[in-house]
């Protein structure tokens, strides 16, 4: 029988399983919702859905380069312990190869990639059931370079941080140096041309108020023109601190990143930096409270 979108949605709401898995389960059970739930449980997929409300903020990042193509991505688990598990490490590498070969350019596209009859979404659900923790894929990015360009890839702390740099000119060693610098110094932008006017205006406003507050406490307050110069000086320093090309090069702070690559006949085109769990609000667990609640139950 034909499976309707409404049936798929209903089964997805009940089990939390992926759309493709729900559709297949319904097809296998002639549209019987209860039987489809059992089917998913037997496959370990509905079991995985029970973990859907957990927060996966640990894990590892990875970067893979193959010729002119690179992918950089993050695979999350609930605990750092599981991130060291051989099954997790094998999944991390396997997913990277699947994503690289697929041409997927985003997390959403990567989740729908099918390999050996199974979608990446299904592989993650199965891994969740097998490993016993919620496993999620996030922040997948694909970069394609020109023949004359150079990739630099670097992983820090086994993949807690992964970076990818792209240079015009230079060589593999220079590109990797930039990737290492990005991992260490955490730049937010390539250069100041990428910073929005709104961001600069807001930062200037904050610095103006700080300067006025400081000046009000001075025994001999500075004149307005001096305050304005002070604010602009602080703003310029702040903008340089967050731009890759303006930062002091980590291996030689006497020169900037821009000077370092220029001396090596290169120009930085772009960079990507992923750090495990950034942007995820981790759940704080009060174990003592949990124990007391169980005692009272």
């Amino acid at each position: 029988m034909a499976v309707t979108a409404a049936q798929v949605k209903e089964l997805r709401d009940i089990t939390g399983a992926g759309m493709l898995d729900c559709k297949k389960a319904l097809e296998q059970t002639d549209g019987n919702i209860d039987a489809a739930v059992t089917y998913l449980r037997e496959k370990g997929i509905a079991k995985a859905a029970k973990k859907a409300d957990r927060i996966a903020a640990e894990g590892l990042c990875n970067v893979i380069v193959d010729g002119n193509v690179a992918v950089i991505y993050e695979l999350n688990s609930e605990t750092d312990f599981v991130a060291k598990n051989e099954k997790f490490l094998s999944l991390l590498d396997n997913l990277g190869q699947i994503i690289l070969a697929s041409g997927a350019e985003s997390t959403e596209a990567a989740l729908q990639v099918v390999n050996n009859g199974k979608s990446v979404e299904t592989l993650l659900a199965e891994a969740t059931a097998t490993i016993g923790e919620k496993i999620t894929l996030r922040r997948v990015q694909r970069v394609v370079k020109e023949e004359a360009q150079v990739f630099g890839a670097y992983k820090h702390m086994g993949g807690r941080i992964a970076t990818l740099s792209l240079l015009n000119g230079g060589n593999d060693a220079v590109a990797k140096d930039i990737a290492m610098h990005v991992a260490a110094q955490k730049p937010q932008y390539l250069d100041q041309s990428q910073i929005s006017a709104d961001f600069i205006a807001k930062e200037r406003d904050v610095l103006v108020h700080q300067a006025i507050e400081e000046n009000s406490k001075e025994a001999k307050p500075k004149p307005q023109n001096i305050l304005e110069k002070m604010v602009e000086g602080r703003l310029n320093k702040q903008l340089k601190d967050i731009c890759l090309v303006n930062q002091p090069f980590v291996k030689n702070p006497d020169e900037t990143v821009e000077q370092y690559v220029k001396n090596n006949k290169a120009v930085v085109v772009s960079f990507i930096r992923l750090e495990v769990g950034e942007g995820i609000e981790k759940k704080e667990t009060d174990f003592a409270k949990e124990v007391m609640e169980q005692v009272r139950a």
Side-chain angles (χ1 to χ4, degrees):
M1 62 169 289
V3 174
T4 67
Q7 288 175 305
V8 173
K9 182 180 184 304
E10 182 180 355
L11 183 57
R12 183 179 173 87
D13 290 341
I14 293 171
T15 64
M19 288 184 292
L20 292 178
D21 292 317
C22 289
K23 184 174 184 295
K24 182 177 180 181
L26 287 163
E27 289 172 344
Q28 293 293 319
T29 58
D30 294 325
N32 186 304
I33 294 292
D34 291 336
V37 170
T38 301
Y39 175 90
L40 291 172
R41 288 184 62 194
E42 290 173 349
K43 296 294 182 181
I45 298 171
K47 176 185 174 183
K50 294 177 182 178
K51 299 178 176 66
D53 61 341
R54 297 185 184 175
I55 297 172
E58 294 295 336
L60 291 172
C61 300
N62 198 20
V63 55
I64 300 176
V65 176
D66 183 12
N68 290 339
V69 182
V71 291
I72 184 168
Y73 57 100
E74 178 183 358
L75 185 67
N76 296 116
S77 59
E78 294 177 50
T79 65
D80 180 54
F81 178 77
V82 159
K84 299 171 184 175
N85 181 298
E86 283 299 323
K87 290 180 180 178
F88 183 89
L89 294 174
S90 177
L91 178 65
L92 179 74
D93 183 63
N94 187 36
L95 286 177
Q97 298 300 330
I98 291 172
I99 295 167
L100 187 69
S102 73
E105 298 182 347
S106 67
T107 308
E108 293 74 18
L111 288 170
Q112 301 308 314
V113 171
V114 176
N115 182 68
N116 292 329
K118 292 183 179 180
S119 69
V120 167
E121 191 174 33
T122 298
L123 291 176
L124 292 170
E126 291 178 349
T128 295
T130 302
I131 295 173
E133 283 193 8
K134 183 180 179 183
I135 308 297
T136 59
L137 177 69
R138 69 191 290 255
R139 298 197 295 171
V140 174
Q141 294 186 61
R142 178 186 179 89
V143 181
V144 180
K145 74 175 183 67
E146 297 174 4
E147 196 63 42
Q149 294 178 321
V150 185
F151 278 135
Y154 177 70
K155 291 193 292 184
H156 184 63
M157 296 176 64
R160 294 289 299 179
I161 298 171
T163 58
L164 178 69
S165 65
L166 177 61
L167 273 58
N168 277 334
N171 53 48
D172 291 343
V174 175
K176 185 170 183 179
D177 274 348
I178 298 306
M180 291 174 66
H181 174 97
V182 168
Q185 300 303 106
K186 203 175 182 178
Q188 297 177 42
Y189 303 94
L190 175 61
D191 56 43
Q192 293 187 36
S193 70
Q194 294 185 343
I195 305 176
S196 71
D198 285 346
F199 178 88
I200 294 174
K202 288 177 182 177
E203 291 305 305
R204 179 181 284 110
D205 188 55
V206 169
L207 292 172
V208 166
H209 282 83
Q210 287 178 353
I212 291 173
E213 180 67 20
E214 291 171 9
N215 205 39
S216 68
K217 298 175 183 178
E218 294 284 348
K220 188 177 179 181
K222 297 179 180 66
Q224 183 64 27
N225 66 319
I226 298 299
L227 283 183
E228 290 174 357
K229 289 181 180 179
M230 187 171 70
V231 166
E232 289 306 308
R234 289 179 178 178
L235 179 61
N236 287 332
K237 182 182 183 305
Q238 183 173 319
L239 296 181
K240 287 181 178 179
D241 285 345
I242 60 177
C243 291
L244 173 62
V245 297
N246 299 132
Q247 292 179 334
F249 180 45
V250 71
K251 284 189 172 182
N252 179 15
D254 291 333
E255 64 179 351
T256 64
V257 168
E258 186 172 41
Q259 290 168 334
Y260 169 69
V261 294
K262 184 177 180 181
N263 291 340
N264 286 278
K265 299 178 181 179
V267 175
V268 182
V269 177
S270 64
F271 71 89
I272 300 171
R273 183 186 190 278
L274 300 185
E275 184 170 349
V276 169
E278 58 188 352
I280 301 176
E281 186 176 344
K282 297 184 181 182
K283 183 179 180 181
E284 298 296 330
T285 304
D286 187 336
F287 292 105
K289 183 179 179 181
E290 284 188 4
V291 171
M292 290 305 296
E293 287 177 349
Q294 289 179 17
V295 169
R296 295 191 189 102

